[in-house]
Amino acid sequence: MTRSVFVINAGSSSLKYQLVDVDSGASLASGLIERIGETTGEARHEAPGIERVTERRVITDHEHAFGWVLQQLDRHGPDLDDANLIGIGHRVVQGGARFDRAVAIDDDVAQQIGDLAPLAPLHNPANLQGIRSARATFPGHPHVAVFDTAFHLTIPPAAHRYAIDASVAAEHRIRKYGFHGTSHQYVSRRMAELLGRPLEEVNTIVLHLGNGASATAVRGGRSVETSMGMTPLAGLVMGTRSGDIDPGVIFHLHREAGMSIDAIDTLLNKRSGLLGLTGTGDMRDVRQAADAGIPRAVEALEIVAHRLRGTVGAYLAHLGRTDAIAFTAGIGENSAPMRADALAGLEGLGIVLDPERNAGSGERRISADGSAIEVWVVPTNEELEIARQVAELVDSSGAE
Ligand code: ADP
């Protein structure tokens, strides 16, 4: 019998959802509502066998958005009872040092998610808003929080502590948390399956390269190092985020350029990365510009690849023995040239790509037969991972 989980990713003015068949992994329905609370909202709903529904309308708040979703499910199916809905999974960005796995949401957990807001001011309050509205909309079902940070709580102190005054760090909960954990967990598990070996024996470097980008070193199924930090600003060069910079740049911009902290926050989070370097944050456009010979696009791609290569090198050292490198997310899954650039020159370290396999599509090995470390493209599926974690929790608690 079908069992499904309703997976929710709530932003401050958006709501993304997917009804996932836990056992087959199929999407039974999905959609996105944007510009909630604004004068021009847009709502989209899709399900297999129906024409995509798109409406421009005012959506006043998240509860209103859920009402719209229920209306679409009523009209176009699937029926939630027929789909045997067993629970609701909420993506929550910051779980702090407390949540090392998915948890059933009660009032206390909701409060703790709210208490973590200072560490993720843009995300946790929005996630919490989604949780509150969903609990009002689906009062009879278990709600589960799945944290982006949870997978990384296995990172040892030597890797998650920053070398600053320890009492300041403790007081303000400053440490590396890491993000994209759901994706890194899904891909590293899948990697072990694809290699046909037990998860505990496989060491993988996962490169999640989307608009946000992060790398994780996974030893035997456990994250031991990751490139994002206390916030998702650290690490690799991203669509609009700088990734690592000397923190001294911030003081310099404040003191010498007279920029406010908010302006620097916006600069580094929203106007940097590919966007800052080239004027567009979309990898496809940057690649097109580079192919047309535009120097700043060519240089931007070199910067992205340089950072990636250095990260891979560091993680090879941290893991000691690496079995596989897995590329995932929008750029990782689709950009053969970026994969090739990122690993160029690493042949001496046992990493050799096969150009023809690299140019293909779908889940596959892209390394050459003689490559000591296998390289793969493994499409991520965060919704399915969330749905599975909800199902596991519901099964183990006997909750209905
Ligand atoms: P998000 O982090 O928002 O989930 P995605 O994982 O969807 O982002 O990745 C978005 C990025 O993937 C964009 O930079 C986009 O240009 C890039 N991308 C998508 N398809 C391709 C492609 N065929 N070639 C190169 N880049 C691509």
Side-chain angles (χ1 to χ4, degrees):
M1 187 186 184
T2 305
R3 296 183 313 155
S4 66
V5 169
F6 200 68
V7 177
I8 290 165
N9 186 352
S12 58
S13 64
S14 68
L15 179 73
K16 199 173 161 194
Y17 60 91
Q18 189 176 129
L19 184 65
V20 182
D21 179 326
V22 182
D23 302 305
S24 73
S27 170
L28 303 175
S30 63
L32 176 65
I33 297 162
E34 293 177 288
R35 294 194 291 283
I36 294 171
E38 293 177 30
T39 47
T40 54
E42 185 166 324
R44 208 171 70 209
H45 176 82
E46 294 177 61
I50 67 157
E51 209 167 300
R52 175 197 281 196
V53 181
T54 308
E55 282 184 19
R56 277 176 207 286
R57 56 185 346 269
V58 177
I59 305 260
T60 50
D61 54 24
H62 284 75
E63 225 164 297
H64 188 188
F66 278 114
W68 186 85
V69 177
L70 286 184
Q71 209 175 46
Q72 303 316 306
L73 290 170
D74 254 1
R75 265 187 212 155
H76 307 284
D79 181 275
L80 288 178
D81 288 330
D82 291 347
N84 189 17
L85 181 67
I86 58 166
I88 321 290
H90 296 268
R91 177 182 180 211
V92 178
V93 166
Q94 179 55 272
R98 176 174 298 246
F99 295 111
D100 64 353
R101 66 197 65 195
V103 287
I105 300 170
D106 56 17
D107 291 345
D108 182 44
V109 167
Q111 159 120 33
Q112 290 182 51
I113 291 169
D115 290 345
L116 289 162
L119 289 173
L122 296 178
H123 294 108
N124 271 40
N127 299 155
L128 189 55
Q129 207 165 12
I131 288 171
R132 291 208 175 106
S133 307
R135 287 176 91 195
T137 309
F138 302 96
H141 288 89
H143 289 253
V144 174
V146 181
F147 301 92
D148 263 18
T149 49
F151 182 58
H152 299 300
L153 276 189
T154 48
I155 292 177
H160 77 59
R161 285 208 183 125
Y162 295 124
I164 63 168
D165 183 321
S167 57
V168 172
E171 185 181 346
H172 298 285
R173 297 182 281 186
I174 293 169
R175 53 166 280 177
K176 174 178 284 195
Y177 292 104
F179 299 88
H180 291 144
T182 311
S183 175
H184 289 293
Q185 185 167 12
Y186 174 86
V187 171
S188 52
R189 273 194 203 165
R190 179 79 189 129
M191 194 66 254
E193 274 174 24
L194 290 165
L195 295 177
R197 292 170 53 191
L199 182 60
E200 300 70 36
E201 289 176 14
V202 175
N203 295 347
T204 303
I205 297 172
V206 181
L207 301 173
H208 176 113
L209 312 178
N211 283 316
S214 66
T216 297
V218 184
R219 177 181 289 128
R222 294 158 70 87
S223 170
V224 292
E225 177 58 296
T226 195
S227 60
M228 283 179 168
M230 186 186 92
T231 74
L233 181 55
L236 303 172
V237 178
M238 313 187 207
T240 66
R241 288 178 226 147
S242 61
D244 285 347
I245 59 161
D246 174 355
V249 171
I250 295 167
F251 314 133
H252 179 78
L253 288 173
H254 182 61
R255 293 188 187 121
E256 302 300 320
M259 288 178 74
S260 68
I261 289 298
D262 284 346
I264 300 170
D265 187 333
T266 303
L267 175 76
L268 297 181
N269 272 299
K270 303 220 168 100
R271 292 174 41 216
S272 295
L274 288 178
L275 178 66
L277 291 167
T278 69
T280 167
D282 191 294
M283 179 54 90
R284 281 166 292 206
D285 298 338
V286 179
R287 179 63 61 183
Q288 211 171 18
D291 289 346
I294 295 171
R296 63 180 184 167
V298 173
E299 191 183 64
L301 294 177
E302 285 170 1
I303 296 169
V304 171
H306 175 90
R307 187 82 53 90
L308 272 166
R309 212 176 299 131
T311 305
V312 169
Y315 291 7
L316 292 172
H318 290 315
L319 287 173
R321 189 206 80 229
T322 301
D323 300 292
I325 296 173
F327 283 92
T328 197
I331 298 166
E333 291 169 30
N334 297 301
S335 178
M338 183 43 73
R339 291 190 296 262
D341 290 350
L343 301 179
L346 302 186
E347 294 80 6
L349 296 174
I351 300 167
V352 185
L353 282 191
D354 178 302
E356 223 166 279
R357 289 177 188 155
N358 188 33
S361 64
E363 188 176 73
R364 69 200 182 282
R365 180 161 66 97
I366 59 172
S367 49
D369 289 343
S371 183
I373 296 173
E374 294 199 11
V375 185
W376 285 71
V377 171
V378 179
T380 192
N381 193 338
E382 291 169 277
E383 285 80 11
L384 177 57
E385 180 64 34
I386 291 174
R388 281 181 182 159
Q389 294 191 20
V390 172
E392 259 170 46
L393 201 69
V394 169
D395 286 348
S396 70
S397 66
E400 290 263 289

